[in-house]
Structure formats: C-alpha cells, structure tokens
C-alpha cells in the first residue's frame, strides 16, 4: 500500500459531524492527526496526562503546539495515577473525560487511533480468556454510543504502515516506553504474538477481520431463544435497542408503549403487564414470561451462584433451563 494513501474508515460520517480526536502524541494518534487534516476532516483534540513518565510533559507540550499551529481546540486533563490496575484506571479516566467534553461541547464523534495491531491484540487477549465471536471482535470502525459515535479510522492499517507514513513525512511523534513492559498482558501478547504475526500475514489478517465483522453483524441482528426465553445482544444505541425490544415483545403478541420502553431502560430489571420479566445486562436484552413458583433452596443457591436475576428464576425453574445459559449473558 502506498504510504500517501492509507485507507481511513468512516470518512463520510466524520465529514458530517463535529469531531473530537483522542490524542496522546504517540505513533498512532499523531499519524491520525495529520491524516485527518490531509482528508480535510475538521476536529479538535483531547489529551490526558497521567504523570507516569517524565516524557508526558513533552507530549502535552507537543499537543499544545499542534493545536496552536493548526487552530484546534485542545482539552487537557491532569490525572496522576498509581498502581495497582493502572491500565484499567487510565481507561476509565480517559473515557469519562472524553464523555464529559462531548456532552458539554456537543461533539458527534470521538475519534480514536486504534489500528490493526490493536484489533489483533484484543482478539488474542479475549481468545486467551475464552470468548465467543462477539467478544472477540470488540473493535469496529464505528460504534454507536448513547450520545456519540466512536470512530476508528485506522482499524485496518498496521502499525508498520503508520510508522512508515510518519517517517516518510518526517512527522515528530513520541514512543511510550511503558509499551515495552511485558509485565502487562497486552504488551506480552503484542511483542510475542500479535506484532510478529502481523509482520508476516497483515494482508490475510485484514481480510479475516473484514469477513468476521460482517459475520458479527449477522449475529447481532439475531434474536435468540430457548423455549420462551428471548435474548439479543445490545447494540450500544438506545434507539436500536428499543427496536430489538419491540421485536421480542411482538413475538409474545404484545405491543410495547413508549412509556413502557422508557421504563425498561430506566429500571433495567422488572415486570411488564404482570406477564413479562425483563433484564438489561451490560451486553444483553433478556425477556421471558414472568412466573412465580416455589423453588427449592438448593436450586435457589445454584441460581444465585450463576447470577440469574430473581425476576427470571421462576421461568428457569419451571422450564428446567440450564443456569449456565446465563453465564454468557452477563
């Protein structure tokens, strides 16, 4: 692939919206900064200083320099971090910060610099834990959230291609030395598995992810059932999730009102029309007939261990549904 023609995804969506770029001054976000300008995409930037490295001061200074030079608004958050669970804490701080800016300043899209190697690292990390297709493919070019869309324009560009682009155009960037610490699982997988694999098989990995993402879309549009227990994966969009709810309840021959849909999303767990039990987990919408029936103590304990909501236990018991089904729906 020619360095000057790195493929950016979701450009039409970015051209139509107000955009915020998650910036770090590292390889990927710096390349994306200049590629977005090359494609005449308007955007502002946000950066977080975790104060974990002395170099972070230089990175903030570089972000300010770029913002001033290219007339971008810049949002900076200082958030000192200490062990343990640094990666988890950093991610929460980062996305809470971005979400607050988006809400206050009315941005439509959050642009992140995730690329092919990141996508493959995620795949391998989930694969190592034990995961299904939907969990394995956690990154998509566009992910709809309630108030904004996460856009990943570089998702099918490899790290090597990005570095070549930066070198070709003599663009300054910083390297985060913490990325070389293999005590972090992600870094261990990156340096020992994902990066060497992509160096040899990048073209095939790109094709595979294209095919897998298409398959994922087919899966996500499906409503699954076991007897009269229905479940469907949440889409990340409240509008789409409400459409899924409509489809499920129509299978029961019941038409939800607007107020009932709002009630479901507000309560997350409850009963509609004294007939239907509903549960909204982080990832799934679950609906079943509401049944009240005595359940032996031993069975109740099994349901508790599998975290089956009380509202669904009557139906699980009456229909002898395996409690392990719910393990995948949490």
């Amino acid at each position: 692939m020619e360095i000057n023609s790195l493929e950016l995804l979701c450009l039409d969506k970015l051209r139509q919206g107000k955009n915020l770029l998650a910036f770090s001054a590292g390889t990927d976000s710096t390349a994306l900064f200049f590629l977005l300008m090359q494609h005449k995409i308007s955007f502002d930037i946000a950066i977080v200083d975790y104060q974990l490295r002395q170099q972070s001061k230089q990175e903030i200074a570089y972000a300010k320099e770029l913002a001033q030079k290219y007339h971008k608004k810049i949002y900076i958050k200082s958030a000192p971090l200490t062990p343990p669970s640094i990666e988890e804490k950093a991610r929460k701080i980062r996305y809470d910060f971005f979400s607050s800016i988006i809400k206050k300043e009315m941005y439509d899209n959050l642009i992140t610099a995730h690329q092919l190697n990141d996508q493959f690292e995620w795949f391998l990390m989930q694969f190592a834990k034990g995961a299904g297709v939907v969990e394995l493919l956690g990154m998509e070019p566009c992910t709809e959230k309630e108030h904004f869309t996460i856009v990943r324009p570089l998702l099918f560009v490899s790290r090597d291609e990005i570095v070549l682009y930066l070198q070709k155009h003599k663009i300054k960037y910083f390297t985060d030395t913490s990325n070389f610490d293999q005590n972090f699982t992600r870094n261990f997988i990156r340096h020992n598995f994902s990066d060497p694999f992509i160096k040899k098989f990048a073209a095939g990995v790109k094709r595979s992810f294209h095919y897998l993402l298409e398959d994922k879309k087919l899966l996500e549009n499906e409503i699954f059932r076991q007897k009269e227990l229905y479940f469907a994966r949440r889409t990340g969009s409240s509008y789409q999730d409400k459409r899924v709810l409509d489809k499920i309840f129509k299978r029961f021959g019941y038409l939800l009102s607007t107020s009932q849909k709002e009630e479901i999303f507000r309560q997350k767990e409850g009963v509609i029309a004294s007939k239907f039990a509903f549960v909204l987990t982080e990832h799934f919408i679950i609906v079943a007939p509401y049944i009240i029936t005595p359940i032996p103590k031993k069975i109740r304990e099994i349901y508790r261990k599998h975290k089956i909501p009380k509202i669904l236990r009557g139906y699980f018991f009456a229909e002898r549904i395996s409690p392990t089904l719910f393990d995948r729906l949490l």
Side-chain angles (χ1 to χ4, degrees), residues 17 42 103 132 139 171 192 194 209 214 227 239 249 254 287 319:
S42 175
K103 185 175 181 180
M139 295 186 187
I171 296 171
N192 292 283
S194 60
F209 273 122
E214 288 302 314
K227 298 188 177 179
Y239 171 75
F249 275 88
Y254 188 86
V287 181
E319 295 295 335

Side-chain angles (χ1 to χ4, degrees), residues 213-311:
L213 285 170
E214 288 302 314
D215 290 345
K216 181 185 176 185
K217 289 177 185 176
L218 293 175
L219 284 174
E220 287 180 333
N221 286 333
E222 286 191 48
I223 295 172
F224 301 93
R225 66 180 288 185
Q226 185 155 344
K227 298 188 177 179
E228 291 299 301
L229 174 75
Y230 290 91
F231 54 97
R233 178 160 284 273
R234 298 187 69 171
T235 64
S237 161
S238 60
Y239 171 75
Q240 293 295 337
D241 284 352
K242 286 173 184 176
R243 291 186 63 188
V244 171
L245 274 171
D246 280 332
K247 290 180 182 178
I248 291 175
F249 275 88
K250 282 177 181 177
R251 295 191 181 191
F252 286 110
Y254 188 86
L255 185 63
L256 284 172
S257 67
T258 300
S259 61
Q260 285 175 320
K261 282 182 272 190
E262 294 298 332
E263 180 184 347
I264 289 172
F265 276 85
R266 184 172 59 255
Q267 294 185 358
K268 309 296 184 187
E269 182 176 323
V271 179
I272 290 290
S274 302
K275 293 181 178 179
F276 310 107
F278 65 85
V279 174
L280 268 62
T281 70
E282 182 181 358
H283 301 296
F284 282 90
I285 296 168
I286 307 159
V287 181
Y290 179 52
I291 293 178
I292 300 175
T293 186
I295 302 174
K297 184 177 179 180
K298 184 178 179 180
I299 301 298
R300 290 203 307 270
E301 182 61 19
I302 291 172
Y303 289 166
R304 186 190 67 77
K305 287 182 179 178
H306 286 278
K307 299 181 180 179
I308 296 174
K310 290 181 180 180
I311 206 82

Side-chain angles (χ1 to χ4, degrees), residues 11 50 78 81 91 145 175 178 191-192 194 196 199 213 222 270 275 303 305:
L11 285 177
Y50 304 110
S78 179
L81 280 182
R91 188 182 189 284
K145 296 295 184 181
T175 300
S178 67
H191 294 292
N192 292 283
S194 60
K199 278 184 182 294
L213 285 170
E222 286 191 48
K275 293 181 178 179
Y303 289 166
K305 287 182 179 178

Side-chain angles (χ1 to χ4, degrees), residues 1 14 22 55 57 67-68 74 123 131 138 148 153 158 171 177-178 188 204 219 238 258 269 310 325:
M1 180 184 293
L14 295 178
Q55 182 177 284
K57 295 179 182 178
Q68 182 177 18
I74 182 170
F123 181 95
F148 64 97
S158 73
I171 296 171
T177 54
S178 67
F188 177 80
L219 284 174
S238 60
T258 300
E269 182 176 323
K310 290 181 180 180
L325 171 69

Side-chain angles (χ1 to χ4, degrees), residues 36-53:
L36 289 170
M37 289 201 304
Q38 180 181 320
H39 286 274
K40 296 181 171 48
I41 301 295
S42 175
F43 64 95
D44 298 313
I45 64 175
I47 185 169
V48 180
D49 180 6
Y50 304 110
Q51 298 182 17
L52 291 170
R53 298 168 290 108

